[in-house]
């Protein structure tokens, strides 16, 4: 039997609900494990808590140099092998919307992306693509990441700016936005990895993994003029769900985001999670925004996503493990 | 048409097209991208005349003239991409079934090219350039750069789009991800009509354009009445008339094949190839008989045409929309007149711009578009920024570098960022934030100069954008990305543009109190002093529950809620 985590990475959450017929054996297995879990849970044999928990944390925080921190954070979640099976198609979505230098923290650090690509390759990934829908001339925006990924000697990094490379897709869980055009590459990928940089955002408080999904669709303008921005970000998050989120908080843009120039603060931190809401919430808590500590619930789209059950923003109730490298 | 000519012509056209394709972003500065344009003696003469100074960039044209005195109109026969294109169209079928040289029923049109030249020089004498209507190099550059290449690119992109729909096993990985830049241009009609006419005219007579109409050919014809190396016919001639019938330019006398109108001869040497008794050759020196196109007999008429040109110039100068005199009251400046960065002051700009479209096809964002009649006929097809289509990329300066006449100055990148082309204005009645209380900050987000700032205003729940004019270079990224439909809620207009004939834009801009520093450089250079390199990382960030959110009374950071 396949490892449960390898369940063919369907990115379209709305579509994988279409209940595949379950074998009797699998059904019994689920029933049994649920029963066991319930028993253990209620009997008090297993108490949720950071100390006692020895397995995979909900949120992994690694502090240190860029590449080792990325590796550590992913390892804490069980390693890239638990996300990427050999031969699978992977799309990595960093933020490379801006044509500014790395020190401005407007784009994801190219080294973060390179390490993620390397991890995917080590896990035996088939095709790895690093994609974004940039705001400026694509070659200027993707320049840094593309250069960093030169070591792999293949075409990996693309700024996708043509409508034909996007495909109309319904959003079954959408409250406001019920359809959008999603990058074909993303629709066809087995695994999606979000790799946002931690930065402030004048309209949405912060721009992290959920906000970053706007870089995978064609018409973002409509989220500004037709829909409520926070609501439609959550709508989009209900459709395009990364399997792994790796937030680059090595350097965070803490003021005047998303484009800066603003105050860039060094946190030397990488935050990783399977849960995009939790990853974003943890990043909100890690960084001082405009010099103030903010709560995840103060970011409207994070709160709405939590309320809709897309993930959990109450990181205080989750297992957050931090390690230094 | 002989083999040697074919080879040279093909090679030249290839080089021409290659240079045109290479003229783009990033710019291969080591290539002579505007080389062909600078070989046009008509453009050189007329633009220099209308701009009132010798445009030295046209030294290759002078070279062509000198060589023409020696060799005749070799340029027309071998190098001119317009001539080659016409030859191509003719051999591809435009003259199928027609004799290479039918009896020249259009003989009376021969002087037309000289009149066209006189007309253009007449307008140029008054500082108005209409050379763009007839300069073969400018026209053919536009034809390929602004019509053919976009069509080819659109077709290629369409094919790639189909590739994306191929079923998985057939799909070539990465093919569908190729993105061919597709340019779109206004006023294609002119090019279509003009070139359909030129190609169709070839059915009337071979190289109709070159024979009768081309004023650049007229300049070269004037230089080659008695070229040093010219066609001569030996006594072996048997009067068979083969050469006369095969001459694509009709340069050989109908009755006496020994007689040549050298001004019409493009030295293709077809006559040499077809002569059954090898009586024809091209050789230097001697005093062969010379037939002149009969144009000098008509000097008075030519003068009249020149005066007509001057009169036309006067009429266009007196039109309502012509930007007469100095900036000030009563002068109508159309909002779309946003010139490329580094454009000369308007009069000098229009006088020297050839409308070759080189900048248009080189512009990576397609923001450069040919203007219509917004400033009258004198501004027709001159380049303007169209931010709604694309922004002026701050990291790009190719338009100035490919401009053959210096109508757009070739500025170093740093200077270019200071060459303000206009100023962004917010139309509050259309703005999502100002008018509709929507949280939109796209203009702020995309502004590379950090000239747009979100600010809070009493009575509006969301942050609203304001433009700091002294930081705005008019690049139009804001207008381009504004999600408001139809006219954007933030538009660039030419107000505050800098147009310098010489000297430093940075100095001028700074003296005016402008601060056109790119945001990325502000940070790196510490211009804004905002950046901090502190390392405040605590061992572990406080759990969210333990940290107090700012008091309700405090101002929240932008975008956060309570």
């Amino acid at each position: 039997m396949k490892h449960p985590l390898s369940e063919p990475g369907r990115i379209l959450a709305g579509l994988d609900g279409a209940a595949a017929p379950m074998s009797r054996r699998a059904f019994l297995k689920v029933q049994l494990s649920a029963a066991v879990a319930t028993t253990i849970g209620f009997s008090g044999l297993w108490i949720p808590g950071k100390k006692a928990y020895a397995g995979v944390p909900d949120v992994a925080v690694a502090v240190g140099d860029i590449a080792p921190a990325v590796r550590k954070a992913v390892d804490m979640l069980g390693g890239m092998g638990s996300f990427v099976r050999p031969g699978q198609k992977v799309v990595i979505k960093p933020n490379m919307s801006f044509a500014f230098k790395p020190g401005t923290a407007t784009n994801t650090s190219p080294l973060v992306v390179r390490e993620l690509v390397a991890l995917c390759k080590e896990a035996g990934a088939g095709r790895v693509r690093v994609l974004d829908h940039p705001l400026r001339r694509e070659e200027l925006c993707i320049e840094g990441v593309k250069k960093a990924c030169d070591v792999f000697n293949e075409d990996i990094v693309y700024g996708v700016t043509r409508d034909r490379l996007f495909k109309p897709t319904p959003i079954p869980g959408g409250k406001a936005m019920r359809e959008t055009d999603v990058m074909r590459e993303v629709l066809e990928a087995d695994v999606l990895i979000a790799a946002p940089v931690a930065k402030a955002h004048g309209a949405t408080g912060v721009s992290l993994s959920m906000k970053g999904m706007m870089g995978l669709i064609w018409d973002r303008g409509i989220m500004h003029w037709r829909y409520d921005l926070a609501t439609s970000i959550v709508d989009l998050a209900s459709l395009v769900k990364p399997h792994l989120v790796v937030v680059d908080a090595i350097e965070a843009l803490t003021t005047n985001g998303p484009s800066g120039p603003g105050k860039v603060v060094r946190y030397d931190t990488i935050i990783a999670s399977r849960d995009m809401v939790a990853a974003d919430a943890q990043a909100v808590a890690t960084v001082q925004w405009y010099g103030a500590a903010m709560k995840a619930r103060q970011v409207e789209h994070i709160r709405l996503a939590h309320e809709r059950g897309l993930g959990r923003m109450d990181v205080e109730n989750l297992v957050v493990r931090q390690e230094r490298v | 048409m002989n083999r040697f000519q074919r080879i040279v012509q093909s090679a030249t056209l290839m080089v021409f097209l290659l240079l045109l394709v290479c003229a783009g972003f990033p710019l291969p500065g080591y290539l002579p991208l505007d080389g062909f344009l600078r070989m046009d003696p008509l453009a050189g003469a007329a633009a220099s005349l209308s701009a009132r100074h010798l445009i030295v960039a046209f030294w290759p044209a002078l070279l062509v003239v000198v060589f023409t005195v020696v060799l005749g109109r070799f340029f027309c026969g071998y190098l001119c991409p317009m001539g080659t294109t016409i030859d191509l169209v003719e051999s591809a079928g435009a003259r199928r079934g027609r004799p290479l040289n039918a009896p020249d029923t259009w003989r009376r049109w021969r002087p037309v090219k000289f009149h066209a030249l006189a007309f253009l020089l007449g307008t140029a004498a008054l500082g108005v350039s209409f050379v763009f209507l007839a300069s073969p190099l400018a026209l053919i550059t536009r034809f390929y750069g602004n019509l053919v290449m976009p069509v080819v690119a659109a077709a290629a992109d369409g094919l790639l789009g189909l590739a994306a729909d191929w079923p998985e096993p057939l799909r070539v990985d990465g093919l569908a991800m190729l993105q061919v830049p597709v340019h779109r241009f206004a006023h294609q009609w002119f090019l279509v009509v003009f070139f359909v006419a030129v190609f169709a005219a070839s059915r009337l007579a071979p190289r109709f354009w070159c024979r009768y109409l081309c004023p650049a050919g007229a300049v070269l014809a004037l230089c080659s009445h008695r070229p040093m190396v010219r066609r001569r016919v030996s006594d072996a001639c048997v009067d068979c008339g083969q050469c006369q019938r095969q001459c694509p330019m009709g340069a050989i006398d109908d009755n006496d094949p020994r007689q040549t109108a050298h001004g019409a001869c493009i030295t293709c040497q077809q006559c040499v190839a077809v002569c059954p008794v090898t009586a024809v050759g091209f050789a230097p020196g001697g005093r062969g008989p010379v037939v002149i196109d009969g144009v000098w007999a008509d000097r008075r008429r030519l003068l009249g045409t020149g005066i007509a040109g001057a009169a036309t110039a006067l009429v266009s100068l007196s039109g309502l929309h012509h930007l007469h005199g100095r900036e000030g009251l009563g002068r109508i400046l159309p909002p779309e007149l946003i010139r490329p960065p580094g454009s000369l002051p308007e009069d000098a700009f229009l006088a020297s711009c050839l409308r070759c479209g080189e900048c248009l096809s080189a512009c990576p964002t397609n923001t450069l578009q040919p203007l219509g009649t917004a400033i009258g006929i004198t501004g027709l097809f001159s380049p303007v920024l169209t931010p709604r289509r694309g922004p002026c990329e701050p990291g790009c300066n190719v338009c100035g570098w490919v401009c053959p006449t210096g109508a757009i100055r070739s500025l170093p990148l740093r200077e270019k960022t200071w060459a303000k082309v206009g100023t962004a204005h917010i139309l509050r009645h259309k703005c999502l934030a100002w008018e509709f209380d929507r949280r939109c900050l796209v203009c702020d987000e995309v502004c590379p100069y950090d000239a747009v700032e979100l600010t809070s205003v009493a009575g509006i729940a969301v942050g609203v954008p304001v433009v700091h004019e002294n930081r705005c270079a008019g690049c139009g990224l804001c207008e381009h990305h504004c999600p408001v439909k139809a006219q954007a809620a933030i538009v660039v207009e030419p107000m505050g543009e800098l147009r310098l004939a010489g000297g430093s834009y940075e100095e001028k801009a700074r003296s005016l109190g402008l601060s056109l520093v790119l945001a990325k450089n502000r940070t790196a250079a510490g211009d804004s002093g905002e950046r901090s390199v502190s390392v405040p990382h605590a061992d572990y960030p406080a759990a969210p529950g333990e940290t107090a959110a700012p008091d309700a009374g405090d101002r929240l950071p932008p975008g956060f809620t309570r």
Side-chain angles (χ1 to χ4, degrees):
Chain A
M1 186 177 153
K2 269 182 165 180
H3 189 279
L5 290 172
S6 77
E7 242 341 89
R10 277 285 178 73
I11 285 155
L12 295 189
L15 298 184
D16 68 359
M22 197 182 239
S23 73
R24 182 174 296 120
R25 176 182 296 221
F27 176 76
L28 288 175
K29 235 176 196 168
V30 170
Q31 290 292 306
L32 185 65
S33 33
V36 169
T38 314
T39 315
I40 293 175
F42 280 101
S43 66
L45 280 175
W46 180 74
I47 303 153
K50 287 172 197 169
K51 296 271 157 62
Y53 187 76
V56 174
D58 298 304
V59 179
V61 179
V63 179
D65 285 343
I66 301 179
V70 170
R71 189 168 285 263
K72 185 76 199 172
V74 175
D75 279 350
M76 278 193 269
L77 294 181
M80 193 56 93
S82 62
F83 299 95
V84 178
R85 298 272 125 183
Q88 281 190 323
K89 291 180 187 168
V90 182
V91 167
I92 299 173
K93 161 64 181 76
N95 193 328
M96 27 181 210
S97 269
F98 297 89
F100 301 144
K101 289 168 194 156
T104 57
T106 48
N107 284 356
T108 307
S109 160
L111 296 178
V112 169
V113 182
R114 180 166 76 186
E115 192 63 17
L116 283 173
V117 176
L119 288 172
C120 292
K121 298 245 163 214
E122 286 167 26
R127 190 171 81 194
V128 181
R129 288 262 160 87
V130 176
L131 307 174
D132 196 1
H133 180 181
L135 291 169
R136 294 262 299 276
R137 274 293 284 185
E138 67 260 41
E139 60 264 50
L140 294 175
C141 295
I142 68 173
E143 200 177 22
V145 174
K146 201 174 168 67
K147 217 172 186 175
C149 290
D150 273 350
V151 292
F152 302 109
N153 257 330
E154 54 181 300
D155 285 335
I156 290 179
V157 187
Y158 293 91
V160 184
T161 57
R162 217 39 77 67
D163 60 355
R164 64 170 166 80
L165 296 172
F166 296 78
K167 194 173 165 187
T169 311
I171 308 178
K175 285 224 161 76
M177 186 164 72
R178 293 177 180 281
E179 61 178 342
T180 188
D181 296 324
V182 180
M183 252 180 229
R184 284 162 174 272
E185 287 287 319
V186 173
L187 297 175
E188 289 163 10
D190 301 302
V191 181
L192 176 64
I193 299 174
V197 62
K199 56 180 178 172
H201 193 283
T204 58
V206 292
S207 173
L208 296 162
S209 70
M210 269 191 277
K211 173 74 179 65
M213 291 303 108
M214 284 173 79
L216 295 178
I217 65 170
W218 173 246
D219 185 5
R220 303 172 277 215
I222 202 165
M223 297 173 70
H224 288 284
W225 68 264
R226 176 166 285 163
Y227 309 123
D228 174 63
L229 185 55
T231 307
S232 50
I233 288 173
V234 179
D235 290 342
L236 182 59
S238 75
L239 176 76
V240 186
K241 277 177 144 173
H243 299 84
L244 168 65
V245 176
V246 177
V247 181
D248 168 15
I250 298 291
E251 284 189 318
L253 178 64
T254 65
T255 68
N256 202 21
S259 55
K263 185 169 177 175
V264 178
V265 178
R266 205 166 177 79
Y267 286 92
D268 285 324
T269 299
I270 295 288
I271 298 159
S273 177
R274 290 188 162 78
D275 176 345
M276 66 195 306
V277 183
D280 286 7
Q282 181 65 36
V284 170
T286 303
V287 174
Q288 297 252 315
W289 305 99
Y290 287 84
M294 305 302 295
K295 290 179 170 178
R297 63 163 173 78
Q298 290 182 285
V299 177
E300 195 183 353
H301 67 263
I302 296 183
R303 180 173 54 79
L304 291 175
H306 174 89
E307 286 167 3
R308 265 202 237 174
L310 294 176
R312 289 177 63 177
M313 69 171 177
D314 55 332
V315 277
E316 61 274 20
N317 298 324
L318 299 176
V319 181
V320 179
R321 187 187 304 160
Q322 185 189 0
E323 287 189 30
R324 205 174 253 290
V325 287
Chain B
M1 181 158 318
N2 68 54
R3 214 181 146 78
F4 175 67
Q5 187 200 14
R6 263 286 155 91
I7 292 169
V8 175
Q9 277 187 312
S10 315
T12 315
L13 186 64
M14 283 300 184
V15 172
F16 170 78
L17 292 177
L18 205 67
L19 290 178
L20 200 54
V21 172
C22 287
F25 178 84
L27 192 77
Y30 46 87
L31 291 175
L33 297 166
D34 53 358
F36 275 89
L37 286 156
R38 289 161 56 192
M39 284 196 272
D40 187 337
L42 167 74
S48 293
L49 183 57
S50 55
R52 301 287 188 264
H53 70 96
L54 192 69
I55 301 176
V56 275
F58 278 108
W59 62 263
L62 198 66
L63 221 59
V64 167
V65 166
V66 170
F67 274 103
T68 301
V69 172
V70 179
L71 298 171
R73 285 172 66 180
F74 74 100
F75 181 80
C76 308
Y78 293 84
L79 303 184
C80 179
M82 181 85 143
T84 306
T85 304
I86 291 172
D87 278 349
L88 260 174
V89 171
E90 285 178 6
S91 60
R95 286 196 65 74
R96 183 162 297 151
R98 286 161 197 254
L100 190 54
N101 189 25
D104 195 355
T105 47
W106 295 83
R107 175 165 290 283
R108 288 184 49 225
W109 280 55
R110 282 192 180 249
V112 170
K113 56 179 176 288
F114 296 102
H115 286 282
L117 176 63
F119 184 91
L120 292 175
L121 293 179
T123 60
L126 291 192
V128 176
S129 174
F130 281 131
V131 70
F132 61 91
L133 293 173
S135 155
L137 273 306
L139 284 163
I140 199 71
T141 306
R142 273 177 72 197
F143 173 68
Y144 281 112
N146 301 357
L147 189 65
V148 176
M149 270 165 36
V151 168
V152 171
D157 201 60
L159 281 176
L160 290 172
L162 293 180
D165 287 326
W166 290 347
E168 189 70 54
L170 289 178
R171 208 181 300 175
V172 181
D173 193 43
L175 190 63
M177 290 298 285
L178 285 179
Q179 301 175 70
V180 183
V182 179
H183 279 35
R184 299 167 188 280
F185 289 110
H187 305 301
Q188 293 166 303
W189 60 269
F190 173 79
L191 292 173
V192 171
V193 169
F194 182 90
F195 278 91
V196 165
V198 164
F199 297 147
S202 275
R203 292 183 73 82
L204 304 175
R207 280 205 178 213
F208 191 97
W209 164 263
C210 314
R211 276 190 192 205
Y212 306 120
L213 304 178
C214 178
V219 175
L220 297 179
L222 290 177
C223 303
S224 60
H225 270 308
R226 284 167 177 275
M228 291 178 191
V229 177
R230 56 181 183 247
R231 177 177 183 265
R232 52 193 67 251
V233 183
S234 76
D235 295 337
C237 173
V238 291
D239 271 317
C240 69
Q242 265 303 336
C243 55
Q244 193 280 327
R245 283 187 293 277
Q246 299 270 332
C247 175
M249 292 296 284
I252 299 165
D253 191 90
D254 285 348
N255 304 315
D256 181 4
R258 292 170 193 80
Q259 302 249 345
T260 316
H262 295 298
C265 171
I266 56 171
T267 72
C268 68
Q269 310 213 7
Q270 178 74 2
C271 48
V272 179
V274 299
C275 182
V277 292
T278 56
V280 186
F282 278 71
R287 309 174 164 272
V290 169
V291 177
I292 296 181
D293 254 351
V295 61
W296 282 134
D298 245 353
R299 264 171 289 183
R300 190 168 294 174
R301 274 198 184 175
L302 279 180
L303 193 64
T305 312
I307 290 168
T312 309
L314 278 178
V315 171
S316 62
L317 288 173
S318 64
L320 169 64
H321 293 286
H322 181 261
L323 292 176
H324 50 87
R326 294 189 188 183
E327 218 175 295
L329 291 182
R331 192 177 190 251
I332 302 174
L333 187 65
E336 67 264 46
L337 195 74
I338 312 164
R339 291 298 185 194
S343 295
L344 296 177
E346 190 65 13
D347 282 346
F349 177 79
L350 286 178
S352 43
C353 172
L354 297 181
R355 301 2 176 219
C356 60
E358 185 91 21
C359 56
L360 306 186
S361 50
C363 174
T365 61
N366 200 201
T367 185
L368 288 186
Q369 291 289 329
L371 185 68
T373 53
I375 55 165
I377 192 121
T378 52
L380 203 59
F381 308 140
S382 57
V384 287
L385 263 68
T386 315
R388 218 36 180 155
R389 170 69 187 145
C392 180
E393 176 56 57
C396 163
N397 57 353
V398 299
C399 50
W401 288 88
V402 300
C403 179
T405 62
I408 311 172
R409 291 170 55 191
S410 47
L411 302 176
L413 217 42
R414 186 186 163 93
E415 268 287 289
K416 187 261 179 177
T417 61
W418 289 85
K420 184 177 169 77
V421 298
T423 308
H425 307 275
I426 291 171
L427 308 181
R428 293 185 183 177
H429 65 284
K430 292 204 77 182
C431 177
L432 293 174
W434 279 101
E435 180 69 21
F436 301 99
D437 277 17
R438 309 298 295 266
R439 279 177 302 186
C440 180
L441 50 28
V442 173
C443 49
D444 174 30
E445 178 179 28
V446 298
C447 178
Y449 287 88
D450 198 28
V452 183
E453 189 183 36
L454 285 189
T455 182
S456 50
V457 167
I460 300 180
V462 299
V464 290
V466 290
V467 176
H468 297 291
E469 297 85 359
N470 66 326
R471 286 180 165 197
C472 174
C475 70
L477 265 149
C478 51
E479 183 179 341
H480 178 65
H481 283 284
C482 176
V484 171
K485 298 292 160 189
Q487 186 185 31
I490 184 165
V491 294
V492 176
E493 290 192 357
M495 189 159 159
E497 60 169 350
L498 295 180
R499 304 285 287 273
L500 303 180
S504 160
Y505 276 92
E506 181 172 353
E507 260 169 45
K508 178 73 179 175
R510 281 193 195 273
S511 76
L512 293 170
L514 303 179
S515 171
L516 305 177
V517 180
L518 289 176
K520 60 173 185 181
N521 296 336
R522 274 182 214 283
T523 306
D527 251 275
S528 74
E530 264 278 49
R531 184 162 194 243
S532 149
V533 286
S534 61
V535 187
H537 187 269
D539 204 26
Y540 183 70
E546 298 158 19
T547 61
D551 290 345
D554 286 352
R555 258 187 67 186
L556 283 171
F560 285 90
T561 57
R562 301 215 175 278

